[in-house]
Amino acid sequence: MSNTGIIRRVDELGRLVIPKEVRNSLRIKSGDCLEVFLDNDTILIRKKDLISKTYKSIENIINIIAKICSVDIILTDLDKVLFKNGKIFTINDETKISKYIYNEISERKDIIKNNTIEFDNNLCFLLKPLIINGDAIGSIILLKKEKINDTDIINAEIINNLLINYLEV
């Protein structure tokens, strides 16, 4: 744990302002959910991860789609890789996502790129942001060696809808 050297006062309503430098570093924006924990005399605050607990319930479906379609499927939140299925691209869970991917998710854009350097010159990818209640909370990324086709787009949409349905409940 690092010490930022920043001191903040609690106001009369019990509110505490998280310094801008900390918010920027952790990509915390207005409306984000934060978890608060007590550890003896220490208050711990961390970003609430809505996706990681949810995707487990549809992990088998994601694995089946990946196998049938010969694609790698990556699931991210706004900070890191939460889940990766497949063998054509090596990436670890907890790997930070790039600023490019973060920006595309934040702009709520579906992206299809062929032969891109974002992942590997020989791979094509489809990025579909996960939007819950108007907020971008992560993405589904399909990677494959061949060009992205209509079936891949439909599969990304199926996974996206399954996750959104679980998260909105």
Side-chain angles (χ1 to χ4, degrees), residues 4-159:
T4 63
I6 300 170
I7 297 172
R8 296 282 195 234
R9 289 195 187 279
V10 176
D11 73 9
E12 63 277 355
L13 296 176
R15 296 176 297 202
L16 176 71
V17 175
I18 300 170
K20 184 177 183 178
E21 299 83 3
V22 174
R23 291 192 320 264
N24 288 344
S25 175
L26 296 176
R27 295 179 177 162
I28 296 172
K29 63 184 184 320
S30 177
D32 281 353
C33 293
L34 302 175
E35 289 181 290
V36 180
F37 300 91
L38 290 177
D39 183 12
N40 296 325
D41 64 344
T42 303
I43 299 171
L44 302 171
I45 302 173
R46 72 175 173 205
K47 284 178 68 172
K48 176 72 173 149
D49 181 3
L50 297 173
I51 303 172
S52 64
K53 295 175 181 111
T54 304
Y55 82 81
K56 297 272 186 203
S57 58
I58 65 164
E59 189 172 349
N60 287 339
I61 295 169
I62 294 172
N63 288 334
I64 290 167
I65 291 171
K67 187 173 184 177
I68 290 171
C69 301
S70 300
V71 297
D72 282 9
I73 298 175
I74 299 171
L75 182 63
T76 76
D77 61 14
L78 292 175
D79 297 313
K80 63 189 174 306
V81 171
L82 299 173
F83 170 80
K84 191 261 184 194
N85 171 293
K87 296 178 178 147
I88 61 174
F89 183 72
T90 304
I91 192 169
N92 298 320
D93 291 354
E94 302 295 317
T95 299
K96 286 253 186 222
I97 63 170
S98 69
K99 267 201 182 297
Y100 169 76
I101 296 295
Y102 174 79
N103 290 337
E104 297 302 331
I105 295 169
S106 297
E107 292 177 16
R108 297 163 172 76
K109 291 183 180 177
D110 288 3
I111 303 295
I112 298 174
K113 292 217 173 170
N114 295 305
N115 301 326
T116 178
I117 60 169
E118 186 59 35
F119 293 99
D120 183 325
N121 284 335
N122 299 320
L123 294 179
C124 304
F125 82 94
L126 179 154
L127 179 141
K128 184 144 193 69
L130 287 166
I131 312 294
I132 303 290
N133 299 325
D135 294 324
I137 63 164
S139 71
I140 296 162
I141 302 170
L142 271 61
L143 295 169
K144 63 187 288 189
K145 292 181 180 178
E146 303 83 30
K147 289 189 177 196
I148 301 296
N149 59 41
D150 291 341
T151 303
D152 300 320
I153 295 168
I154 291 168
N155 289 332
E157 190 69 35
I158 289 169
I159 296 168

